[in-house]
Amino acid sequence: MNCAETLLPSLPAALPANACFAIVAPAGAARLDTHKVSQWFADRGYSCRLYPAVNQAQGYLAGSDQQRLQDLHDAFADPAIDAILCMRGGYGSMRLLDRLDFDLIRRNPKPLIGYSDITALHTAIYRHSGLVTFHGGMLNADLLGAKLPPTESSLLAQLAGHVRAGEQIVHPTDYPLSSVLAGVASGPLLGGNLSMLGATMGTLAELDTQGCILFIEDVNEPLYRVDRLLTQLRLAGKLEGVKGVLVGDFAGITTAALAPLLEETFAPLGIPVLAGWRSGHCDPNVCLPLGARVRLDSDRQRLVLEQDLFKA
């Protein structure tokens, strides 16, 4: 599916004031204070439902593959659920890809929220259902971890439909951006964790980058590994046809250190590259709507939404 020629994205309904969130664990295990979780949602006028794998552990996984998969399917299928929030990343989402029911997801479009390992779900679900999903704060480290604004506010504002076509996705002014390569470009915003984008090459979650604005971020990867991952994408032809690049947080690597590699990789393509965006394994962690059409303006250091995120 060519991003530039794809069908209109599958859009869910905006979050109602009394929304019910499904809490799922498609990847790693974690301990949760269920009272604290319930109170967090109640304080914001919401409710939540914790699915079984959230309270399970099977080694480094939150329960069995079958349980984690069933939780995802049940959350999408349940009409009482308005949004699906991942507990954490870690590892495990890839193990579910070949058994995901994309028809079920297409029939029941709902916001799916997460990042890191959840990138595998984002890319697969967009590719096979066209659903716009959200690269945003997860329950364990981000929302219960009380990360700095606008971690929570950017997520809830987008889910509620308060960010409309023609409006900027606001980036915190305390964190300067870097216009690595100048220019303006439009396309669906796709991508996520760079390591996961590499790991899903050759699978049904392989990202089709044609015509897209590519977003990348990562954690615990030294510069030479980032080079290796970008080189992998280049050699696989995944950078040909990319319209622009939004570079999120690369924990442990400054934008200044990353910039020469970005220039070397993307300058031959003649596309804009904007770096330093606070999305990923960072604090704050700004929410991004994956699959939605955006305009990347590296000259003015802006990211503008070009479509509404929810059905009328």
Side-chain angles (χ1 to χ4, degrees), residues 162-187:
H162 295 161
V163 185
R164 306 296 300 273
E167 296 180 353
Q168 288 187 62
I169 297 176
V170 177
H171 187 267
T173 56
D174 291 344
Y175 302 89
L177 296 168
S178 176
S179 303
V180 177
L181 294 169
V184 181
S186 293

Side-chain angles (χ1 to χ4, degrees), residues 31-33 36-37 40-41 44 85-88 115 137-149 151-152 282-285:
R31 291 184 177 274
L32 281 183
D33 181 333
K36 185 178 181 181
V37 172
W40 189 93
F41 285 97
R44 290 151 182 82
L85 177 63
C86 295
M87 177 179 69
R88 60 158 295 182
Y115 65 100
M138 292 184 285
L139 184 63
N140 200 44
D142 299 87
L143 303 180
L144 294 183
K147 284 193 173 179
L148 295 168
T151 300
E152 177 186 324
C282 53
D283 188 9
N285 180 10

Side-chain angles (χ1 to χ4, degrees), residues 46-130:
Y46 304 133
S47 61
C48 67
R49 182 176 302 169
L50 276 64
Y51 281 71
V54 168
N55 294 311
Q56 297 177 10
Q58 187 168 302
Y60 44 77
L61 301 170
S64 67
D65 290 351
Q66 182 55 42
Q67 184 64 68
R68 300 188 335 274
L69 180 70
Q70 189 65 52
D71 289 355
L72 270 177
H73 287 164
D74 288 349
F76 272 107
D78 190 340
I81 296 299
D82 299 296
I84 302 170
L85 177 63
C86 295
M87 177 179 69
R88 60 158 295 182
Y91 170 71
S93 298
M94 281 186 65
R95 295 170 62 108
L96 310 181
L97 295 181
D98 58 343
R99 286 168 284 173
L100 276 176
D101 187 340
F102 296 109
D103 288 335
L104 170 69
I105 294 170
R106 191 180 302 110
R107 293 194 307 269
N108 300 277
K110 297 174 184 180
L112 174 73
I113 307 130
Y115 65 100
S116 192
D117 189 73
I118 309 304
T119 294
L121 297 178
H122 288 313
T123 56
I125 287 172
Y126 178 77
R127 180 165 184 172
H128 296 280
S129 75

